[in-house]
């Protein structure tokens, strides 16, 4: 269905044109979430497509992080292509989860990476996700859902939805009070 969410992407060598099943799943999940005035983190941002979608869906603040210098620069370029570079809502950073700190500042985390990196970084994501905040994880196969869900539950997150497309999965969780 048409969402009215148009995003221009010049992908260069970065991941995230919006056509891969995992990116589609993440975008689909975002359409069902209330992003108005939310502080959003996009880990492994690639082209910035999810960060830009979050901004167009009403996020008030967006942190986009990728380990690749080219992806970082590509995110900034794509923000400009979408007229989202001048309002100071987007902060793009080249780095990994170590750049996050430990204060719970994010209402929503988007992490479309891969199973092993997600598992390694989920505890760090937990430290920056507000209680009641949501996290959408993708970049893994449907067969990996049990191991990702187990780690989510160990962290005190409740799995609220699992989406699937072409063998790929997306898990949406909420951080519950401890």
């Amino acid at each position: 269905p048409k969402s009215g969410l148009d995003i221009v992407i010049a992908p260069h060598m970065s991941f995230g044109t919006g056509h891969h099943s995992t990116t589609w799943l993440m975008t689909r999940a975002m359409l069902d979430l209330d992003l108005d005035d939310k502080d959003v983190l996009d880990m492994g941002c690639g082209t910035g497509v999810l960060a830009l979608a979050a901004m167009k869906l009403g996020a008030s603040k967006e942190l986009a992080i990728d380990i690749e210098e080219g992806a970082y620069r590509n995110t900034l370029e794509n923000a400009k292509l979408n007229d989202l570079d001048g309002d100071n809502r987007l902060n793009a950073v080249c780095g990994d989860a170590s750049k996050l700190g430990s204060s719970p500042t994010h209402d929503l985390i988007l992490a479309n990476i891969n199973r092993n990196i997600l598992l390694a970084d989920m505890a760090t994501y937990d430290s920056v996700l507000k209680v009641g905040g949501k996290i959408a994880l993708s970049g893994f196969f449907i067969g990996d859902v049990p191991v990702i869900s187990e780690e989510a539950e160990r962290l005190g997150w409740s799995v609220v939805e699992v989406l699937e497309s072409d063998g790929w999965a997306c898990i949406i969780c909420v951080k519950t009070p401890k």
Side-chain angles (χ1 to χ4, degrees), residues 100-166:
L100 294 177
S102 60
S103 297
T105 58
H106 301 290
D107 300 297
L108 173 65
I109 297 175
L110 308 167
N112 183 17
I113 308 176
N114 70 52
R115 173 194 139 138
N116 294 336
I117 292 174
L118 290 173
L119 288 170
D121 290 346
M122 285 170 68
T124 302
Y125 302 157
D126 184 64
S127 70
V128 297
L129 182 63
K130 293 177 183 175
V131 172
K134 294 186 177 164
I135 183 164
L137 306 167
S138 194
F140 52 89
F141 296 109
I142 194 71
D144 295 321
V145 167
V147 71
I148 301 284
S149 296
E150 182 180 312
E151 179 63 9
E153 290 167 6
R154 188 188 71 74
L155 291 166
W157 304 347
S158 295
V159 175
V160 294
E161 189 171 8
V162 177
L163 304 171
E164 178 184 2
S165 177
D166 296 325

